[in-house]
Amino acid sequence: MSTDRLRRGSPDRPQAHRRGLPWWAVALAGIAVTGAGMALGETYFPFALAGGCVVAALLADRSALFTAAVQPPLIALAVLGAAALFSGSLLRSASVFASVFPILAATTGGVVLIVLVRVLLNRRKTGSDAQ
């Protein structure tokens, strides 16, 4: 395979037919929404985390679904770690992480459920197209 073809992407799935956000945009969207929620205050952090991750899972391209599925705990740790670095209070960030853990677990479960439904619907759709 030539390097030109590698740069353009897979011949089976050209960039022009991509339907959704690529993996890096999914991760960036989740981090941006969660970071904005943390900047508004600890009260908004769990809602921003849940909302940002669910929206990212809904808008992700098929190739970015794994990124959407694993991002909730990673984003929570990254945003709280950055908050600890900027505020200087690791204990406070650890306390916030412990208090939002049930919401984090529910968000992760919800995002994984959304991803599984999207994968199954996509398989059903491509299976009916092949016949």
Side-chain angles (χ1 to χ4, degrees):
M1 183 180 289
S2 71
T3 57
D4 186 42
R5 180 178 269 178
L6 287 174
R7 278 191 210 118
R8 285 184 287 154
S10 172
D12 299 332
R13 190 137 190 251
Q15 296 287 80
H17 294 102
R18 188 168 273 211
R19 297 180 61 177
L21 299 175
W23 68 268
W24 56 268
V26 169
L28 190 61
I31 290 170
V33 171
T34 306
M38 188 65 177
L40 291 174
E42 294 170 8
T43 306
Y44 300 104
F45 172 71
F47 303 111
L49 175 68
C53 290
V54 167
V55 168
L58 291 172
L59 297 178
D61 182 47
R62 183 176 58 183
S63 64
L65 289 176
F66 178 76
T67 303
V70 300
Q71 79 176 355
L74 299 174
I75 287 176
L77 286 173
V79 170
L80 289 172
L85 284 175
F86 291 124
S87 71
S89 176
L90 182 60
L91 186 59
R92 182 71 184 148
S93 291
S95 171
V96 171
F97 184 77
S99 68
V100 300
F101 187 79
I103 296 171
L104 175 63
T107 300
T108 303
V111 167
V112 168
L113 186 65
I114 289 169
V115 166
L116 288 175
V117 167
R118 287 193 58 196
V119 166
L120 291 175
L121 289 176
N122 193 30
R123 279 192 183 161
R124 189 173 295 160
K125 180 181 174 185
T126 56
S128 65
D129 290 344
Q131 293 176 355

